[in-house]
Amino acid sequence: MEIIKERVRASQIIGHENLVELVEGDIIVPDIKPDILSLTKTDGIAFITNKEVQDGKVKLQGMIDIYSIYIADDETNSLRGLSATLNFNETIEMKDCEDGMIPIIKYNLNNIECKVLNGRKITVKCPVEIDLKVIKDSEFEISRDVKDCDDIQILKESMKLNSLIGHNRENISINENVSLPENSESIGEILKCSIDLINKDYKISYNKVLAKAEARVKIIYTAENDANSIETFETIIPFTGFVDINGINENTAFDFCYTLKNYCIKPIYQDMKATGINIEADIEVLAIAHEMKDVVVMQDLYSPDVVLNYNLKSVELNQNLNRQENRVKMDELLSIPELDNAKLLDINARANLTDRKLMDDKIIVDGNIMLDILYCKRDRRTMESKKVEIPFEYSISRDKNVTDTNEVSVEILDLEYELDSSGRLKVKMNLEFNNNTIDRISLNVIDNLEQTSEKLESTASLIIYPVKQGDTLWQIAKRFRTTIENIKVVNELTSDEIIPMQQLVIPKRVYKVALDPLN
């Protein structure tokens, strides 16, 4: 018997792990620099430089660029900077992973611990928080219907399938020379630098995906002047890159993952003075294209008259059915005594989720914004830092019919700050709350259907059947070799809903006989 089939592709979540990789190492003071009197600030940026999915595991390679600012043990207690690179490797066991699957990684460097030894060495412990998700590109056939099946009862289910179109990666390189603004103090020594990827977006152009974003670069440096004053400089560098994926159109949905793989910032000298910086960076863009597809799946079948033979297997899919994005503006006015008569140098902000309450139709998340404020006094010779916590609570709507996982995350899209005339800190930021609905879908795939020579003949017996917990009309009709429609007509049911202990009249009963009982 001919089964009508449809070939589909699906992006299936194979594994999801959260872990902390503790990277330890040393920062050595070069011979040309003075001893450390005290540490002012130690910070860094983590990179995942390579990722590889193998059978049963995922291998990660990465590095951390560390910047440490210290007060020197010299005649003027000058402010000096140190840097180092720490490499790390991590193997994460995932039993269902296979070569060729797609790794999606988010990572963050959090709360570096450091200790000075003998004034010439700093030992550091850097916890890297890693969120790893592995996705499989699955292609299989689903059974939709049976051709010419007047005497066959078929249970069909309509569902939405997150159908994968394709995915690809593109490496984008930045190499820019940027001059300091006119009348700026020239660079003596770079104390700290950072690069953030902001304003990430995309558009469809000629059946390709144009990924576009901006790199926000900040440096803090001591000026080449008599006072060795502390100065700051910030610039924005736009970048774009085409990601080629076959089969996309204007209605295609995308998931993007931007990864900063490496960067280098160094002074540019002109007439023996550093009046600009050179910025090099390598960025990887992963684009995953998919569409929500309505499919009809044949989940079960039987014949009231003959015995059917067929193969039945179940395919389990963990699918990201919906990504809900909510953007929220947050404006804060903070009174911080330490900032009185101070100059702001830099503020790093990090959003943390601390609690999640799952309601019928919403998710309530609690969290905080941690501000790491770097400032100096008006003489611009000393630097200090201050941490401030801003709590928040936010409510996200959810589909109460989905009983599986809801993954909630929050990201700070942009941050603006300034000190007003009264010394209060104005902070403005946009938060993006992402709610990924992960649902488990079970698809029954029916194959090799054939009708046997064994017939089923009915009797005139009347059956009264008490409905049990979990029963459905389909199960009852299949068990007694009748049809749902017959049961509904005899019992005057207007819907398929039945309740436990309900008495149903079954219109016929069957028993097996051979086609030729004499043989």
Coordinates of all heavy atoms in Angstrom, one line a residue, residues 151-236:
D151 N -10.9 2.1 3.4 CA -11.2 1.2 4.5 C -10.2 1.3 5.7 O -10.2 0.4 6.5 CB -11.3 -0.2 4.0 CG -10.0 -0.7 3.4 OD1 -9.2 0.2 3.0 OD2 -9.8 -1.9 3.3
I152 N -9.4 2.3 5.7 CA -8.4 2.5 6.8 C -8.7 3.7 7.6 O -9.0 4.8 7.0 CB -7.0 2.6 6.1 CG1 -6.6 1.3 5.4 CG2 -5.9 2.8 7.2 CD1 -5.3 1.3 4.8
Q153 N -8.6 3.6 8.9 CA -8.8 4.7 9.8 C -7.4 5.3 10.1 O -6.4 4.5 10.5 CB -9.4 4.2 11.1 CG -10.8 3.6 11.0 CD -11.8 4.6 10.4 OE1 -12.0 5.7 10.9 NE2 -12.4 4.3 9.3
I154 N -7.2 6.6 10.0 CA -5.9 7.2 10.1 C -6.0 8.3 11.1 O -6.9 9.2 11.1 CB -5.4 7.8 8.8 CG1 -5.3 6.7 7.7 CG2 -4.1 8.5 8.9 CD1 -4.9 7.2 6.3
L155 N -5.0 8.3 12.1 CA -4.9 9.4 13.1 C -3.9 10.3 12.6 O -2.7 10.0 12.5 CB -4.5 8.8 14.4 CG -4.3 9.8 15.5 CD1 -5.6 10.6 15.9 CD2 -3.7 9.2 16.8
K156 N -4.3 11.6 12.2 CA -3.4 12.6 11.8 C -3.2 13.7 12.8 O -4.2 14.0 13.5 CB -3.9 13.2 10.4 CG -4.0 12.2 9.3 CD -4.5 12.8 8.0 CE -4.7 11.8 6.9 NZ -5.2 12.5 5.7
E157 N -2.1 14.3 12.8 CA -1.8 15.4 13.7 C -1.2 16.6 12.9 O -0.2 16.4 12.3 CB -0.9 15.0 14.9 CG -0.7 16.1 15.9 CD 0.1 15.7 17.1 OE1 0.4 14.5 17.2 OE2 0.5 16.5 17.9
S158 N -1.7 17.7 13.1 CA -1.1 18.9 12.5 C -0.2 19.6 13.5 O -0.6 19.8 14.7 CB -2.2 19.9 12.0 OG -3.0 19.4 11.1
M159 N 1.0 19.9 13.1 CA 1.9 20.5 14.0 C 2.8 21.5 13.2 O 2.9 21.5 12.0 CB 2.8 19.5 14.7 CG 3.6 18.6 13.8 SD 4.6 17.4 14.7 CE 3.3 16.4 15.5
K160 N 3.5 22.4 14.0 CA 4.4 23.3 13.5 C 5.8 22.7 13.7 O 6.2 22.4 14.8 CB 4.3 24.7 14.1 CG 3.1 25.5 13.7 CD 3.1 26.9 14.2 CE 1.9 27.7 13.7 NZ 1.9 27.9 12.3
L161 N 6.6 22.7 12.6 CA 7.9 22.2 12.6 C 8.9 23.3 12.3 O 8.8 23.9 11.3 CB 8.1 21.0 11.7 CG 9.3 20.2 11.7 CD1 9.4 19.4 13.0 CD2 9.4 19.2 10.6
N162 N 9.9 23.4 13.2 CA 11.0 24.4 12.9 C 11.9 23.8 11.8 O 12.8 23.1 12.2 CB 11.7 24.8 14.1 CG 12.6 26.0 14.0 OD1 12.8 26.5 12.9 ND2 13.1 26.5 15.1
S163 N 11.6 24.1 10.6 CA 12.3 23.4 9.5 C 13.6 24.2 9.2 O 13.6 25.4 8.9 CB 11.4 23.4 8.2 OG 12.1 22.8 7.2
L164 N 14.7 23.5 9.2 CA 16.0 24.1 8.9 C 16.2 24.3 7.4 O 16.0 23.4 6.6 CB 17.1 23.3 9.5 CG 18.6 23.8 9.3 CD1 18.8 25.0 10.2 CD2 19.6 22.7 9.8
I165 N 16.6 25.5 7.0 CA 17.0 25.7 5.6 C 18.4 25.5 5.4 O 18.9 24.9 4.4 CB 16.5 27.2 5.2 CG1 15.0 27.4 5.3 CG2 17.0 27.5 3.8 CD1 14.6 28.8 5.1
G166 N 19.3 26.0 6.3 CA 20.7 25.8 6.2 C 21.4 26.7 7.1 O 20.9 27.5 7.9
H167 N 22.8 26.5 7.2 CA 23.6 27.4 8.0 C 24.9 27.6 7.4 O 25.4 26.8 6.5 CB 23.7 26.8 9.4 CG 24.5 25.5 9.4 ND1 25.9 25.4 9.5 CD2 24.0 24.2 9.3 CE1 26.2 24.1 9.5 NE2 25.1 23.4 9.3
N168 N 25.6 28.6 7.8 CA 27.0 28.9 7.2 C 27.7 29.9 8.2 O 27.1 30.6 9.0 CB 26.9 29.4 5.8 CG 28.2 29.1 5.0 OD1 29.2 28.6 5.6 ND2 28.2 29.4 3.8
R169 N 29.0 29.9 8.0 CA 29.8 30.8 8.8 C 30.6 31.7 7.9 O 31.0 31.3 6.8 CB 30.8 30.0 9.7 CG 30.2 29.1 10.7 CD 31.3 28.3 11.4 NE 30.7 27.2 12.2 CZ 30.3 27.4 13.5 NH1 30.4 28.6 14.1 NH2 29.7 26.4 14.2
E170 N 30.9 32.9 8.4 CA 31.7 33.8 7.6 C 32.7 34.6 8.6 O 32.3 35.0 9.7 CB 30.8 34.9 6.9 CG 31.6 35.9 6.1 CD 32.3 35.4 4.9 OE1 31.8 34.3 4.4 OE2 33.2 36.0 4.4
N171 N 33.9 34.6 8.2 CA 34.9 35.4 9.0 C 35.1 36.8 8.4 O 35.3 36.9 7.2 CB 36.3 34.6 8.9 CG 36.2 33.3 9.7 OD1 35.7 33.3 10.8 ND2 36.7 32.3 9.2
I172 N 35.0 37.7 9.3 CA 35.1 39.1 8.9 C 36.4 39.7 9.6 O 36.5 39.6 10.8 CB 33.9 39.9 9.3 CG1 32.6 39.3 8.6 CG2 34.0 41.4 8.9 CD1 31.3 39.9 9.0
S173 N 37.2 40.4 8.9 CA 38.4 41.0 9.4 C 38.3 42.5 9.4 O 37.8 43.1 8.5 CB 39.7 40.6 8.7 OG 39.9 39.2 8.8
I174 N 38.8 43.1 10.5 CA 38.8 44.6 10.6 C 40.3 45.0 10.7 O 41.1 44.4 11.5 CB 38.1 45.1 11.9 CG1 36.6 44.8 11.8 CG2 38.3 46.6 12.1 CD1 35.8 45.1 13.1
N175 N 40.7 46.0 10.0 CA 42.0 46.6 10.1 C 41.9 48.1 9.8 O 41.8 48.5 8.6 CB 43.0 45.9 9.1 CG 44.4 46.3 9.3 OD1 44.7 47.3 10.0 ND2 45.4 45.5 8.8
E176 N 41.8 48.9 10.8 CA 41.6 50.3 10.7 C 42.6 51.1 11.5 O 43.0 50.7 12.6 CB 40.2 50.6 11.3 CG 39.0 50.0 10.5 CD 38.7 50.8 9.2 OE1 39.1 52.0 9.2 OE2 38.0 50.3 8.3
N177 N 43.0 52.2 10.9 CA 43.8 53.2 11.6 C 42.9 54.4 12.0 O 42.2 54.9 11.1 CB 44.9 53.7 10.7 CG 46.0 52.7 10.4 OD1 46.2 51.8 11.3 ND2 46.6 52.7 9.3
V178 N 42.8 54.7 13.2 CA 42.0 55.8 13.7 C 42.8 56.8 14.4 O 43.6 56.5 15.4 CB 40.9 55.2 14.7 CG1 40.0 56.4 15.1 CG2 40.1 54.1 14.0
S179 N 42.7 58.1 14.1 CA 43.4 59.2 14.7 C 42.7 59.7 15.9 O 41.5 59.7 16.0 CB 43.6 60.3 13.7 OG 44.4 59.9 12.6
L180 N 43.5 60.1 16.9 CA 42.9 60.8 18.1 C 42.3 62.1 17.7 O 42.7 62.7 16.7 CB 43.9 61.0 19.2 CG 44.6 59.8 19.7 CD1 45.6 60.2 20.8 CD2 43.6 58.8 20.3
P181 N 41.2 62.6 18.4 CA 40.7 63.9 18.0 C 41.7 65.0 18.1 O 42.7 64.9 18.9 CB 39.6 64.1 19.1 CG 39.2 62.7 19.5 CD 40.5 61.9 19.4
E182 N 41.5 66.0 17.4 CA 42.4 67.2 17.4 C 42.5 67.7 18.8 O 41.6 67.8 19.6 CB 42.0 68.2 16.4 CG 43.0 69.3 16.2 CD 42.5 70.3 15.1 OE1 41.4 70.0 14.5 OE2 43.2 71.3 14.9
N183 N 43.7 68.1 19.2 CA 44.1 68.7 20.5 C 44.0 67.6 21.6 O 44.1 68.0 22.8 CB 43.1 69.8 20.9 CG 43.2 71.0 19.9 OD1 44.3 71.3 19.4 ND2 42.0 71.6 19.6
S184 N 43.9 66.3 21.3 CA 44.0 65.3 22.3 C 45.5 65.1 22.7 O 46.4 65.3 21.9 CB 43.5 64.0 21.8 OG 42.1 64.1 21.5
E185 N 45.7 64.7 23.9 CA 47.0 64.3 24.4 C 47.5 63.0 23.7 O 46.7 62.1 23.6 CB 47.0 64.1 25.9 CG 46.6 65.4 26.7 CD 47.7 66.4 26.8 OE1 48.8 66.1 26.3 OE2 47.5 67.5 27.2
S186 N 48.7 63.0 23.3 CA 49.3 61.8 22.6 C 49.4 60.7 23.6 O 49.5 60.9 24.9 CB 50.6 62.2 22.0 OG 51.5 62.6 22.9
I187 N 49.5 59.5 23.1 CA 49.5 58.3 23.9 C 50.9 58.0 24.5 O 51.9 57.9 23.7 CB 49.0 57.1 23.1 CG1 47.6 57.3 22.7 CG2 49.1 55.8 24.0 CD1 47.1 56.3 21.7
G188 N 51.0 57.9 25.8 CA 52.3 57.5 26.4 C 52.3 56.0 26.6 O 53.2 55.3 26.1
E189 N 51.3 55.4 27.3 CA 51.2 54.0 27.5 C 49.7 53.6 27.6 O 48.9 54.3 28.3 CB 51.9 53.6 28.8 CG 51.8 52.1 29.1 CD 52.5 51.7 30.4 OE1 53.0 52.6 31.1 OE2 52.6 50.5 30.6
I190 N 49.3 52.6 26.8 CA 47.9 52.1 26.9 C 47.8 51.3 28.2 O 48.5 50.3 28.3 CB 47.5 51.3 25.6 CG1 47.5 52.3 24.4 CG2 46.1 50.7 25.8 CD1 47.2 51.5 23.1
L191 N 46.9 51.7 29.0 CA 46.6 51.0 30.3 C 45.6 49.9 30.1 O 45.7 48.8 30.7 CB 46.2 51.9 31.4 CG 47.2 53.1 31.7 CD1 46.5 54.0 32.8 CD2 48.5 52.5 32.2
K192 N 44.6 50.2 29.4 CA 43.4 49.2 29.2 C 42.8 49.5 27.9 O 42.6 50.6 27.5 CB 42.4 49.4 30.4 CG 41.2 48.5 30.3 CD 40.3 48.8 31.5 CE 39.1 47.8 31.6 NZ 38.2 48.0 30.5
C193 N 42.4 48.4 27.2 CA 41.6 48.5 26.0 C 40.5 47.5 26.0 O 40.6 46.4 26.6 CB 42.5 48.5 24.7 SG 43.5 47.0 24.6
S194 N 39.4 47.8 25.2 CA 38.3 46.8 25.1 C 37.7 47.0 23.8 O 37.8 48.0 23.2 CB 37.3 47.0 26.3 OG 36.7 48.3 26.2
I195 N 37.0 45.9 23.4 CA 36.2 46.0 22.1 C 34.9 45.2 22.3 O 34.9 44.1 22.8 CB 37.1 45.4 20.9 CG1 36.3 45.4 19.6 CG2 37.5 44.0 21.2 CD1 37.1 45.2 18.4
D196 N 33.8 45.8 22.0 CA 32.5 45.2 22.1 C 31.8 45.3 20.7 O 31.9 46.2 20.0 CB 31.6 46.0 23.1 CG 32.2 46.0 24.5 OD1 32.5 44.9 25.0 OD2 32.3 47.1 25.1
L197 N 31.0 44.2 20.5 CA 30.2 44.2 19.2 C 28.8 44.6 19.5 O 28.1 44.0 20.3 CB 30.3 42.7 18.7 CG 31.6 42.1 18.4 CD1 31.5 40.7 17.8 CD2 32.5 43.0 17.5
I198 N 28.4 45.7 18.9 CA 27.1 46.3 19.2 C 26.3 46.5 17.9 O 26.8 46.3 16.8 CB 27.3 47.6 19.9 CG1 28.0 48.6 19.0 CG2 28.0 47.5 21.2 CD1 28.1 50.0 19.6
N199 N 25.0 46.8 18.1 CA 24.1 47.1 17.0 C 24.1 46.0 15.9 O 24.2 46.3 14.7 CB 24.4 48.5 16.3 CG 24.2 49.6 17.3 OD1 23.4 49.5 18.2 ND2 25.1 50.6 17.2
K200 N 24.0 44.8 16.3 CA 24.1 43.6 15.4 C 22.7 43.5 14.7 O 21.7 43.5 15.3 CB 24.4 42.3 16.2 CG 25.8 42.3 16.8 CD 26.1 41.2 17.7 CE 25.5 41.5 19.1 NZ 26.0 40.6 20.1
D201 N 22.8 43.4 13.4 CA 21.6 43.3 12.5 C 21.9 42.6 11.3 O 23.1 42.2 11.0 CB 21.1 44.7 12.2 CG 19.7 44.8 11.8 OD1 19.0 43.7 11.8 OD2 19.2 45.9 11.6
Y202 N 20.9 42.4 10.4 CA 21.1 41.7 9.2 C 20.0 42.1 8.2 O 19.0 42.7 8.6 CB 21.1 40.2 9.3 CG 19.7 39.6 9.6 CD1 18.9 39.2 8.6 CD2 19.3 39.5 10.9 CE1 17.6 38.7 8.9 CE2 18.0 38.9 11.2 CZ 17.2 38.5 10.2 OH 16.0 38.0 10.5
K203 N 20.2 41.9 6.9 CA 19.2 42.0 5.9 C 19.4 41.1 4.8 O 20.6 40.6 4.6 CB 19.1 43.5 5.4 CG 20.3 43.9 4.5 CD 20.0 45.3 4.0 CE 21.1 45.8 3.1 NZ 20.8 47.1 2.5
I204 N 18.4 40.7 4.0 CA 18.5 39.8 2.9 C 18.8 40.6 1.6 O 18.1 41.6 1.3 CB 17.2 39.0 2.7 CG1 16.7 38.4 4.0 CG2 17.3 38.0 1.6 CD1 17.7 37.4 4.5
S205 N 19.8 40.2 0.9 CA 20.2 40.9 -0.3 C 20.6 39.9 -1.4 O 21.6 39.2 -1.2 CB 21.4 41.9 0.0 OG 21.7 42.6 -1.2
Y206 N 19.9 39.8 -2.4 CA 20.2 38.9 -3.5 C 20.4 37.5 -3.0 O 21.3 36.8 -3.4 CB 21.4 39.4 -4.3 CG 21.3 40.7 -4.9 CD1 21.9 41.8 -4.3 CD2 20.5 40.9 -6.0 CE1 21.7 43.1 -4.8 CE2 20.3 42.2 -6.6 CZ 20.9 43.3 -6.0 OH 20.8 44.5 -6.5
N207 N 19.4 37.0 -2.2 CA 19.4 35.7 -1.7 C 20.7 35.3 -0.8 O 21.0 34.2 -0.6 CB 19.3 34.6 -2.8 CG 17.9 34.7 -3.4 OD1 16.9 34.9 -2.8 ND2 17.9 34.5 -4.7
K208 N 21.3 36.4 -0.3 CA 22.4 36.2 0.7 C 22.0 37.0 1.9 O 21.2 37.9 1.9 CB 23.7 36.7 0.1 CG 24.3 35.9 -1.0 CD 25.6 36.4 -1.4 CE 26.2 35.5 -2.5 NZ 27.6 35.9 -2.9
V209 N 22.7 36.7 3.0 CA 22.4 37.4 4.3 C 23.6 38.4 4.5 O 24.7 38.0 4.5 CB 22.4 36.4 5.5 CG1 21.9 37.1 6.7 CG2 21.5 35.2 5.2
L210 N 23.2 39.6 4.6 CA 24.2 40.7 4.9 C 24.2 40.9 6.4 O 23.3 41.4 6.9 CB 23.9 42.0 4.1 CG 24.8 43.1 4.5 CD1 26.2 42.8 4.0 CD2 24.3 44.4 3.8
A211 N 25.2 40.4 7.0 CA 25.4 40.6 8.5 C 26.1 41.9 8.7 O 27.1 42.2 8.0 CB 26.2 39.5 9.1
K212 N 25.6 42.7 9.6 CA 26.2 44.0 9.8 C 26.2 44.4 11.3 O 25.2 44.0 12.0 CB 25.5 45.1 9.0 CG 24.0 45.3 9.2 CD 23.5 46.4 8.3 CE 22.0 46.6 8.5 NZ 21.4 47.7 7.7
A213 N 27.2 45.0 11.8 CA 27.3 45.3 13.2 C 28.4 46.4 13.3 O 28.9 46.9 12.3 CB 27.7 44.1 14.1
E214 N 28.7 46.8 14.6 CA 29.7 47.8 14.8 C 30.6 47.3 16.0 O 30.2 46.6 16.9 CB 29.1 49.1 15.2 CG 28.3 49.8 14.1 CD 27.6 51.0 14.6 OE1 27.3 51.1 15.8 OE2 27.3 51.9 13.8
A215 N 31.9 47.6 15.9 CA 32.8 47.3 16.9 C 33.1 48.6 17.7 O 33.6 49.6 17.1 CB 34.1 46.8 16.3
R216 N 32.8 48.6 19.0 CA 33.0 49.8 19.8 C 34.4 49.6 20.6 O 34.5 48.6 21.3 CB 31.9 50.0 20.8 CG 32.1 51.2 21.7 CD 30.9 51.5 22.5 NE 30.5 50.3 23.3 CZ 29.3 50.2 23.9 NH1 28.4 51.1 23.8 NH2 29.0 49.1 24.7
V217 N 35.3 50.4 20.3 CA 36.7 50.3 20.8 C 36.9 51.4 21.8 O 36.7 52.6 21.5 CB 37.7 50.3 19.7 CG1 39.1 50.2 20.3 CG2 37.5 49.2 18.7
K218 N 37.4 51.0 23.0 CA 37.8 52.0 24.0 C 39.2 51.8 24.5 O 39.6 50.6 24.6 CB 36.9 51.9 25.3 CG 35.4 52.2 25.0 CD 34.6 52.0 26.3 CE 33.1 52.2 26.1 NZ 32.4 52.0 27.4
I219 N 39.9 52.9 24.7 CA 41.2 52.7 25.4 C 41.3 53.7 26.5 O 40.7 54.8 26.5 CB 42.4 52.9 24.4 CG1 42.4 54.4 23.9 CG2 42.4 51.9 23.3 CD1 43.7 54.7 23.1
I220 N 42.1 53.4 27.6 CA 42.5 54.3 28.6 C 44.0 54.3 28.6 O 44.6 53.2 28.6 CB 42.0 53.8 30.0 CG1 40.4 53.7 30.0 CG2 42.4 54.7 31.1 CD1 39.8 53.0 31.3
Y221 N 44.5 55.5 28.6 CA 46.0 55.6 28.5 C 46.5 56.7 29.3 O 45.8 57.7 29.7 CB 46.4 55.8 27.0 CG 45.9 57.1 26.4 CD1 46.8 58.2 26.3 CD2 44.7 57.2 25.8 CE1 46.3 59.4 25.7 CE2 44.2 58.3 25.2 CZ 45.1 59.4 25.1 OH 44.7 60.6 24.5
T222 N 47.8 56.6 29.6 CA 48.5 57.8 30.2 C 49.1 58.6 29.1 O 49.7 58.1 28.1 CB 49.7 57.3 31.2 OG1 50.5 56.5 30.4 CG2 49.1 56.6 32.4
A223 N 48.9 59.9 29.3 CA 49.4 60.8 28.2 C 50.9 61.1 28.3 O 51.5 60.9 29.3 CB 48.6 62.2 28.4
E224 N 51.4 61.4 27.1 CA 52.8 61.7 27.1 C 53.0 63.2 27.4 O 53.3 64.0 26.5 CB 53.4 61.4 25.7 CG 54.9 61.4 25.6 CD 55.4 60.9 24.3 OE1 55.4 59.7 24.0 OE2 55.8 61.8 23.5
N225 N 52.8 63.6 28.7 CA 53.0 64.9 29.1 C 53.6 64.9 30.5 O 53.9 63.9 31.1 CB 51.7 65.7 29.1 CG 50.6 65.0 29.9 OD1 50.8 64.3 30.9 ND2 49.3 65.3 29.6
D226 N 53.9 66.1 31.0 CA 54.6 66.2 32.3 C 53.8 65.5 33.4 O 54.4 65.0 34.4 CB 55.0 67.6 32.6 CG 56.0 68.2 31.6 OD1 56.7 67.4 31.0 OD2 56.0 69.4 31.5
A227 N 52.5 65.7 33.3 CA 51.7 65.2 34.5 C 51.3 63.7 34.3 O 50.8 63.1 35.2 CB 50.4 66.0 34.5
N228 N 51.7 63.1 33.1 CA 51.2 61.7 32.9 C 49.7 61.5 33.2 O 49.3 60.6 33.8 CB 52.0 60.7 33.7 CG 53.5 60.6 33.3 OD1 54.4 60.9 34.1 ND2 53.7 60.3 32.0
S229 N 48.9 62.4 32.7 CA 47.5 62.4 33.0 C 46.8 61.2 32.3 O 47.3 60.6 31.4 CB 46.9 63.7 32.4 OG 47.0 63.8 31.0
I230 N 45.7 60.8 32.9 CA 44.9 59.7 32.4 C 43.9 60.2 31.5 O 43.1 61.1 31.8 CB 44.3 58.9 33.6 CG1 45.3 58.5 34.6 CG2 43.5 57.7 33.1 CD1 44.7 58.0 35.9
E231 N 43.9 59.6 30.2 CA 43.0 60.0 29.2 C 42.2 58.8 28.7 O 42.6 57.7 28.9 CB 43.8 60.7 28.0 CG 44.7 61.8 28.5 CD 44.0 63.0 28.9 OE1 42.8 63.2 28.6 OE2 44.6 63.9 29.7
T232 N 41.1 59.1 28.0 CA 40.3 58.1 27.3 C 40.1 58.4 25.9 O 40.1 59.6 25.5 CB 39.0 57.9 28.1 OG1 38.2 59.1 28.0 CG2 39.2 57.5 29.5
F233 N 39.8 57.4 25.1 CA 39.4 57.5 23.7 C 38.5 56.4 23.3 O 38.7 55.3 23.7 CB 40.7 57.6 22.8 CG 40.4 57.6 21.3 CD1 39.7 58.6 20.8 CD2 40.7 56.5 20.5 CE1 39.4 58.6 19.4 CE2 40.4 56.5 19.2 CZ 39.8 57.5 18.6
E234 N 37.5 56.7 22.5 CA 36.5 55.8 22.1 C 36.2 56.0 20.6 O 36.1 57.1 20.1 CB 35.2 55.8 22.9 CG 34.1 54.9 22.5 CD 32.9 54.9 23.3 OE1 33.0 55.3 24.5 OE2 31.8 54.6 22.8
T235 N 36.0 54.9 19.8 CA 35.6 55.0 18.4 C 34.7 53.8 18.1 O 34.7 52.8 18.7 CB 36.9 55.0 17.5 OG1 36.5 55.3 16.2 CG2 37.6 53.7 17.6
I236 N 33.9 54.0 17.0 CA 33.0 53.0 16.5 C 33.4 52.7 15.1 O 33.6 53.6 14.2 CB 31.6 53.6 16.5 CG1 31.1 54.0 17.9 CG2 30.6 52.5 15.9 CD1 30.9 52.8 18.9

